[in-house]
Amino acid sequence: MSKEEKQYFPAGQFQECLRTKRIARQVLWKEETDSTNHWAREYAGSRRWMEEGTDPDGTLFVAEKQTEGKGRQGRIWTSPSGENIYMSLLLWHPDIKPVSASRLTLVMGLSAARGLEKLTGRRAGIKWPNDVVYSGKKICGILTEMRIQEGKPEYIVIGVGINVNQTEFSPQLRDKATSVFLETGKKADRVAGIARVMESFEENYEKFLRTEDLSLMKEDYESLLLNKDRPVRILEKTGQWQGTARGINDRGELLVEDSRGYLREIISGEVSVRGLYTYV
Ligand code: BTN
């Protein structure tokens, strides 16, 4: 964002450059929040949108800074001010089974990768299930949360953190994290970045809703999957083993060939996957 835009989200400019029908047509912006995921959940639960007479489905929550950014597995997502993208997309009463909801994390991972490619002109990679990677380092993380009511998702919140203009990382993260700026040497337009990711998500979400799985985007996902045909270490609660990643199935589970040649299905959230010697 330029200097003039620093204090607010340029809603008009964003809507003009956004080519979606439904997704992110309403954007709520804050200079600072604890976590955009938390904010989106709170907004959904508060029913404020009823008084406002708006449809909450597809609302995007964007913040300049998060004071309690959440990562997966209870980790912290460091969220310095004014450099990166911190956003959460609210899907209200999506017509899917709760069991399918976690697959949306992979759908967003693919969409973020494709959106970042459009922004940077450079090819992205995906580390299963949903980390977007440049030069072997993570540039984007995704955290999906859901509330179930009467056996169906009342809402799903997909939180996306993208390192855009961050120029340096802490010594603990330096080997594992990168940003658009560090990859391209140029500051990028965060508003355009959000728009490109949301456009890509809308396209993939429409496909997802037809089947509630990744069958219609599996080929695209696998074409970016850095783990494919590479050795991986599977870290389970009970121990670890090594195999070769072969791709994903329609449910988004990682297919890993074990030492006896059996193809095993790895469910995201239950295990961690690492490269043998590196992060990917
Ligand atoms: C991960 O650990 O890879 C997931 C990181 C998700 C971070 C994003 S930033 C926007 C949204 N709000 C949060 O508190 N977390 C997500």
Side-chain angles (χ1 to χ4, degrees):
M1 272 180 226
S2 71
K3 235 178 183 175
E4 307 82 69
E5 291 157 358
K6 231 176 170 179
Q7 298 308 311
Y8 69 98
F9 183 80
Q13 181 199 322
F14 176 72
Q15 293 298 339
E16 255 170 48
C17 90
L18 179 72
R19 290 177 294 270
T20 63
K21 293 189 274 281
R22 203 154 70 93
I23 296 295
R25 280 294 158 196
Q26 168 166 257
V27 179
L28 300 180
W29 180 89
K30 272 187 187 175
E31 180 92 47
E32 179 179 314
T33 189
D34 50 0
S35 149
T36 53
N37 268 32
H38 181 225
W39 176 23
R41 297 186 66 158
E42 193 268 326
Y43 179 85
S46 75
R47 303 290 191 273
R48 258 197 312 279
W49 43 271
M50 273 187 178
E51 290 152 29
E52 289 160 7
T54 53
D55 177 0
D57 187 42
T59 301
L60 186 67
F61 298 77
V62 181
E64 282 293 284
K65 176 183 177 182
Q66 298 185 117
T67 52
E68 289 170 46
K70 293 188 285 182
R72 294 174 73 214
Q73 292 159 346
R75 292 196 202 100
I76 290 169
W77 187 259
T78 315
S79 310
S81 180
E83 296 181 324
N84 299 326
I85 293 173
Y86 315 114
M87 61 181 178
S88 297
L89 182 66
L90 174 63
L91 303 173
W92 181 252
H93 279 288
D95 189 16
I96 60 168
K97 292 181 276 307
V99 72
S100 314
S102 63
R103 297 172 197 159
L104 281 169
T105 310
L106 282 84
V107 175
M108 185 59 92
L110 172 62
S111 309
R114 289 303 189 201
L116 276 169
E117 286 184 343
K118 290 210 178 95
L119 184 73
T120 61
R122 285 195 45 201
R123 195 159 174 78
I126 297 176
K127 174 184 177 285
W128 184 86
N130 56 256
D131 287 353
V132 183
V133 171
Y134 275 92
S135 312
K137 297 177 182 181
K138 179 163 164 172
I139 203 164
C140 165
I142 296 159
L143 178 70
T144 299
E145 299 182 277
M146 160 172 66
R147 182 183 147 90
I148 299 173
Q149 200 191 32
E150 290 165 13
K152 297 216 73 170
E154 183 188 34
Y155 62 75
I156 297 173
V157 167
I158 311 175
V160 185
I162 305 176
N163 303 328
V164 183
N165 292 325
Q166 193 160 340
T167 50
E168 52 182 63
F169 288 90
S170 65
Q172 302 95 286
L173 286 179
R174 210 161 283 157
D175 294 342
K176 291 184 228 134
T178 190
S179 68
V180 172
F181 174 76
L182 291 174
E183 292 302 310
T184 62
K186 282 186 261 171
K187 296 267 174 164
D189 180 349
R190 287 182 291 153
V191 172
I194 295 172
R196 300 296 85 82
V197 173
M198 289 298 117
E199 287 158 7
S200 183
F201 179 79
E202 182 165 275
E203 209 179 294
N204 288 322
Y205 185 48
E206 281 172 5
K207 290 182 189 162
F208 170 82
L209 287 177
R210 277 188 243 155
T211 57
E212 285 194 32
D213 65 22
L214 281 98
S215 48
L216 298 174
M217 65 204 94
K218 194 160 89 88
E219 212 175 298
D220 194 21
Y221 180 97
E222 285 187 337
S223 72
L224 301 187
L225 183 63
L226 297 168
N227 309 98
K228 195 162 185 299
D229 300 322
R230 301 248 305 253
V232 285
R233 178 177 292 134
I234 309 298
L235 310 174
E236 294 173 334
K237 281 193 191 102
T238 47
Q240 48 173 285
W241 54 278
Q242 286 174 20
T244 306
R246 293 299 182 204
I248 57 164
N249 61 19
D250 289 348
R251 294 184 297 277
E253 294 156 1
L254 187 68
L255 301 172
V256 180
E257 192 178 323
D258 69 15
S259 55
R260 290 179 304 164
Y262 291 121
L263 216 48
R264 292 166 62 171
E265 292 169 337
I266 308 297
I267 301 172
S268 114
E270 293 182 5
V271 295
S272 292
V273 172
R274 300 262 183 289
L276 279 200
Y277 307 107
T278 53
Y279 157 70
V280 179

